[in-house]
Every structure is written in C-alpha cells, then in structure tokens.
Amino acid sequence: KQEVTQIPAALSVPEGENLVLNCSFTDSAIYNLQWFRQDPGKGLTSLLLIQSSQREQTSGRLNASLDKSSGRSTLYIAASQPGDSATYLCAVPSGGSYIPTFGRGTSLIVHP
Amino acid sequence: KAGVTQTPRYLIKTRGQQVTLSCSPISGHRSVSWYQQTPGQGLQFLFEYFSETQRNKGNFPGRFSGRQFSNSRSEMNVSTLELGDSALYLCASRSTSGVTYEQYFGPGTRLTVT
C-alpha cells in the first residue's frame, strides 16, 4: 500500500525566500506525481505533474523534481510571495487503479 | 474549457438526514472521483466512476454511495448522516485518453452535520 509523507508539515518564511517542500513515497512503481495547491476551504489547484519517466517539471517560479528510485519529490518555490501562502499537497497514483494517494500537505505562510 | 463544478457549495444538515452532492466534470472527461477531506484524516478516496460504472471504492461504509449519468455528471449520496461526516467533499475528473492521468478538482462542497 502506497504511503506518502510530506515534510515539513508547516513552514513560515519571510517574503523573498527560496523554498523546498518535500514529498516521499514508499512504492516506486508510480505513474506520475502531481503537486497541488489548496487555499483554505477551497478545492485543489494542480500546479505540476511529473510523469514517471521525467526528472523534473517547471512552471514559472515553481520547479518539481522526481527521483523514483529513492521515492522522493521536491517542490522548489523561488522568490516566495505572500500570495504563495497555502497548503501544498503531493499525490501519487500507483497500482492498477490509478487512484492517487495524497500526503497530508505542507502548510506554507509567507509573510511580508 | 470550463472546470469541474460542484453544487451546492455549502450544506448544513442534521444527524440522521441524508444528502446528495453533485459534480459536473470537465467536458470530455469520463472519470469522476470523490474524496472526503477532514482535518484529522486528510484527503481520503471515496469512489471513482467511469462510464456510469463504479470502478474503484475506498474504505467507507455503505452509507456513502454514488452514481454517474450518461453525460458523466456524478452524484454522491450520504444517508443517515453522522457528526463525523462533516467535511469538505471534493470531486475530481480526469481524462482517460493519453497517459497523464492528471486530475482536476472542483471547489468542493462543505458539509456541516449538526
């Protein structure tokens, strides 16, 4: 059974810092890994999806990397802004059902 | 392309009542999944429907049920509501063509059971 862990659980940083959020998973037989952002009480917004054959994906100030062999992914946020404050979740579909297992998320606060 | 929509956005119900939530997927997406999100348990998978058939089911009691219509719209029903059913219910759709398996989520329905 896939288990997904996200570290740290919470993070508070001043504006402008570069950040690294971590996601680890136990079963390396994955189809992809998807990073989401969730604002309080809202749905999930897809940020980046990395296919199992890829090593990284970039979108604007976001860069996600994937190391399947070690069961790890990192989300790098460059030059953080207060608008980046949200919870960031990673999701890993594995097994024949393609149903993703979610981590518990990293709650990020970027203060001015 | 319009995103995933969910109705209603907020609901307040009393213990013992039943509730029906609705989800309209992205046009062309035939897979619809439902999730329950609570502070204590995080995001938990309820079930997935594809072409009007339940394809996968999570570990929830039989009070939780769902269905999908021919236009891919989906409903989930919770009968005999309990206080512990208070949660954010999220619906996600994905394309089943290609290999990305990327999921797109709706805004959620906040259910409060009193």
Side-chain angles (χ1 to χ4, degrees):
Chain A
K1 180 189 166 193
Q2 180 74 272
E3 292 181 8
V4 180
T5 304
Q6 290 189 246
I7 294 173
L11 193 57
S12 180
V13 300
E15 182 176 6
E17 280 205 2
N18 299 323
L19 309 170
V20 175
L21 309 183
N22 297 290
C23 171
S24 62
F25 47 94
T26 55
D27 182 356
S28 62
I30 65 172
Y31 300 103
N32 61 45
L33 187 144
Q34 196 168 356
W35 282 94
F36 292 90
R37 167 190 172 132
Q38 185 176 31
D39 293 289
K42 303 291 178 61
L44 277 63
T45 300
S46 180
L47 296 173
L48 289 166
L49 180 142
I50 313 176
Q51 297 292 351
S52 62
S53 58
Q54 297 176 319
R55 296 283 292 182
E56 66 178 296
Q57 279 285 346
T58 297
S59 176
R61 293 183 294 108
L62 304 178
N63 175 277
S65 67
L66 174 64
D67 183 343
K68 264 191 4 174
S69 60
S70 66
R72 292 184 183 183
S73 176
T74 60
L75 178 67
Y76 177 82
I77 303 175
S80 59
Q81 302 170 358
D84 295 330
S85 299
T87 296
Y88 292 80
L89 298 113
C90 69
V92 186
S94 56
S97 67
Y98 313 127
I99 302 301
T101 301
F102 283 82
R104 296 301 300 268
T106 293
S107 177
L108 172 65
I109 296 175
V110 181
H111 47 88
Chain B
K1 210 182 236 189
V4 179
T5 59
Q6 292 187 244
T7 57
R9 294 293 312 280
Y10 304 92
L11 266 179
I12 299 175
K13 291 286 188 178
T14 304
R15 267 185 306 175
Q17 289 185 316
Q18 74 163 13
V19 66
T20 299
L21 313 181
S22 180
C23 171
S24 292
I26 290 173
S27 177
H29 286 190
R30 294 162 65 192
S31 166
V32 174
S33 297
W34 289 89
Y35 296 84
Q36 181 195 65
Q37 187 177 35
T38 60
Q41 300 296 323
L43 259 167
Q44 293 186 287
F45 170 72
L46 281 156
F47 27 66
E48 179 196 19
Y49 284 86
F50 175 78
S51 293
E52 302 178 65
T53 301
Q54 187 181 88
R55 195 155 68 166
N56 292 287
K57 188 177 190 303
N59 189 26
F60 277 81
R63 300 185 297 106
F64 292 81
S65 63
R67 59 177 175 168
Q68 186 180 35
F69 302 94
S70 58
N71 61 358
S72 294
R73 188 178 71 86
S74 177
E75 289 181 348
M76 68 163 280
N77 184 78
V78 187
S79 63
T80 319
L81 284 165
E82 301 176 0
L83 295 178
D85 297 332
S86 294
L88 181 66
Y89 289 87
L90 293 164
C91 164
S93 77
R94 67 178 177 88
S95 170
T96 49
S97 62
V99 295
T100 62
Y101 309 123
E102 185 169 6
Q103 288 208 316
Y104 298 87
F105 280 79
T109 295
R110 169 70 64 184
L111 172 64
T112 302
V113 182
T114 62

